[in-house]
Amino acid sequence: MIVTYDLSRFGIPDGQIIVGAEQQYWTWKPGGPDRLGINIIAYYQTFLDRKLELKMGYLRNQNEFAGTVVGGSAGASVLGPSSNILYQAGMSNNAAPTPALNVKYNFDDRVYNKASIQRSLSPDGQYAQITENPTGLNWSTANAGILLLDETGYKNKAAPGLPETWLRAGAGFNNSSYTNFHYPKQPRANANSVYYVAADRQLWQSDVQGSAYRGIYGGFSVMYAPPYLNRVNQYYEARLYAKGLFDSRPSDQIAIVATNTVWSNFAVDAALAKGNLVHRDSTAISGTYTAHLAPGIYASVGLAYINNPTSITHTRQTGHALNLLVSTSIFF
């Protein structure tokens, strides 16, 4: 549950107070841990005729950087698991918000630069972060330092005869204390990083004069993190999606996404030396249909096939997975 309070009624244009809370319960315990806590506590404000945007508080930078959520509507969802490589670099997310200050400067209505100084997630991973700080209110967790993020991008909205385009590239630098997979018995390292480029482009407009956003889109993401500090070393994603493809369903979305996740060679070799069954990457393909059922109500159903669905180690019974995904979002 997330609530946004508009301060324009008090003469503060674009001022917003955002407060959210969430509860998670897992029947499959490795997916957890369970939590009840904040989702976001933030203040948003613009300056200089909206050239400068400020957002601060306990934030979810997963939704602020890299464009892991594409589609442009309230019903859009994360297309692929690209966030995993960002989480291990310390980026906050829905289940683990952290204190942060985000500043975005819009050079014009298309080119922007966005920077953040954020308290990092636990360098031992998302599970350790939530276990130590389930409410999300703690200022920090063990071995967590500061994550600096910066993204530069070009983004134009769809218009008659002008396809929508979004290009972005970014980097993150983290001084948290990470275990070095190459030398696990040595002291922790304090210089992690992540890099990414992504692009999305409208390939065809189905209703040029009426609703220019409707049509077919394509996109890709490429991400990299040093293998000696990160289990996920590389990530590749290709996506094809459509908005309002059918005249009778102008607000629905369809997405087909293919991904490849490459594991750290140091972490894989360490697991192999212990006699485990290992794999060096994981591939997946998924299809999702998101329906706009009523004002503010969206429902999604999808199917995902994953080759090597576990992390680095696996058993002979966990080589493949077929997942059915169902979700509902309500806005009022």
Side-chain angles (χ1 to χ4, degrees):
M1 173 70 74
I2 301 174
V3 177
T4 301
Y5 192 81
D6 180 12
L7 297 175
S8 62
R9 68 194 68 191
F10 300 114
I12 306 176
D14 296 330
Q16 294 180 352
I17 297 174
I18 310 158
V19 178
E22 73 167 35
Q23 188 264 341
Q24 288 188 166
Y25 174 73
W26 299 80
T27 57
W28 184 60
K29 294 307 178 184
D34 301 339
R35 78 175 293 258
L36 174 63
I38 65 168
N39 181 277
I40 183 173
I41 300 176
Y43 179 75
Y44 172 83
Q45 182 66 64
T46 64
F47 303 91
L48 305 176
D49 195 25
R50 297 187 176 179
K51 278 191 171 294
L52 188 65
E53 301 177 51
L54 174 71
K55 195 170 187 178
M56 59 184 178
Y58 284 82
L59 304 184
R60 309 166 298 162
N61 272 336
Q62 168 202 8
N63 301 324
E64 304 281 341
F65 288 85
T68 59
V69 179
V70 296
S73 81
S77 59
V78 177
L79 293 184
S82 58
S83 301
N84 292 343
I85 199 170
L86 301 173
Y87 295 170
Q88 67 183 7
M91 184 178 287
S92 57
N93 53 74
N94 292 334
T98 65
L101 171 65
N102 293 357
V103 178
K104 181 181 180 184
Y105 186 79
N106 301 298
F107 295 94
D108 53 30
D109 59 353
R110 297 183 181 183
V111 180
Y112 68 88
N113 183 266
K114 191 170 189 177
S116 175
I117 178 169
Q118 178 215 299
R119 173 60 73 179
S120 171
L121 297 186
S122 169
D124 295 320
Q126 177 93 348
Y127 198 100
Q129 170 74 26
I130 298 176
T131 299
E132 186 176 345
N133 184 15
T135 66
L137 289 170
N138 293 353
W139 176 258
S140 182
T141 51
N143 298 310
I146 298 296
L147 171 65
L148 300 177
L149 294 163
D150 190 81
E151 176 179 300
T152 299
Y154 172 95
K155 186 175 185 179
N156 72 272
K157 295 182 179 180
L162 179 64
E164 181 176 318
T165 303
W166 188 11
L167 311 174
R168 61 269 192 205
F173 302 94
N174 194 327
N175 69 353
S176 299
S177 297
Y178 282 81
T179 298
N180 190 322
F181 295 129
H182 195 192
Y183 303 106
K185 295 183 179 180
Q186 291 189 2
R188 289 178 173 240
N190 296 321
N192 198 8
S193 58
V194 65
Y195 310 88
Y196 62 86
V197 294
D200 287 271
R201 170 77 171 181
Q202 188 176 19
L203 305 176
W204 174 64
Q205 293 181 320
S206 61
D207 186 9
V208 176
Q209 300 303 324
S211 301
Y213 72 89
R214 293 178 57 193
I216 296 176
Y217 296 71
F220 72 88
S221 299
V222 177
M223 301 185 179
Y224 172 84
Y228 58 93
L229 296 178
N230 301 276
R231 286 185 175 276
V232 180
N233 171 218
Q234 302 168 50
Y235 176 81
Y236 305 92
E237 175 176 308
R239 47 189 174 266
L240 186 68
Y241 53 103
K243 305 178 189 179
L245 193 60
F246 309 113
D247 290 339
S248 59
R249 308 290 307 174
S251 299
D252 289 4
Q253 296 185 31
I254 305 172
I256 300 174
V257 182
T259 66
N260 177 243
T261 300
V262 181
W263 305 103
S264 159
N265 61 303
F266 296 116
V268 171
D269 290 345
L272 189 62
K274 295 179 181 179
N276 295 311
L277 289 174
V278 302
H279 44 248
R280 297 189 178 273
D281 69 346
S282 175
T283 56
I285 185 168
S286 64
T288 307
Y289 189 97
T290 300
H292 188 186
L293 301 180
I297 301 178
Y298 297 81
S300 296
V301 59
L303 199 63
Y305 170 79
I306 309 172
N307 182 45
N308 299 332
T310 64
S311 185
I312 294 170
T313 62
H314 67 98
T315 67
R316 300 191 185 280
Q317 291 75 34
T318 57
H320 311 275
L322 185 64
N323 293 343
L324 174 65
L325 315 170
V326 181
S327 67
T328 302
S329 301
I330 301 174
F331 303 85
F332 56 89

